[in-house]
Amino acid sequence: MDERRESQRHRTFLAGKVIFGANRFQIDCSVRDLSSGGARLSLADPLAVPSVFELHLPARGTVVRAEVRWRKGRQIGVMFRAVLRRPSAEPVRLAEAV
């Protein structure tokens, strides 16, 4: 298998929220794998998720802009495009924020 990740991923079971439509729509998800550059999400209806959205990770106090890279069954793989909110006011690299 061709490994294209730039950073190591870690298995997780974090609760997350997919937010889109000017914050009008929210879909609960589970974050199954997480790296500094992206994540694997599990959702009840992944086809309802647009190609670009905000991912809120309440346990980490972080919101990132994410882009869907693949869809398979009830899971999607996303790449992080930007950190929108960090847990603290100090400057933090993307790898440390997620």
Side-chain angles (χ1 to χ4, degrees), residues 27 41-50 68 70-76:
I27 300 173
L41 310 178
S42 181
L43 304 106
D45 185 9
L47 295 178
V49 176
V68 175
W70 57 264
R71 298 175 195 260
K72 184 176 181 181
R74 291 186 159 197
Q75 297 185 353
I76 61 173

Side-chain angles (χ1 to χ4, degrees), residues 20 31 46 50 71 81:
F20 58 97
V31 181
R71 298 175 195 260
R81 290 296 189 188

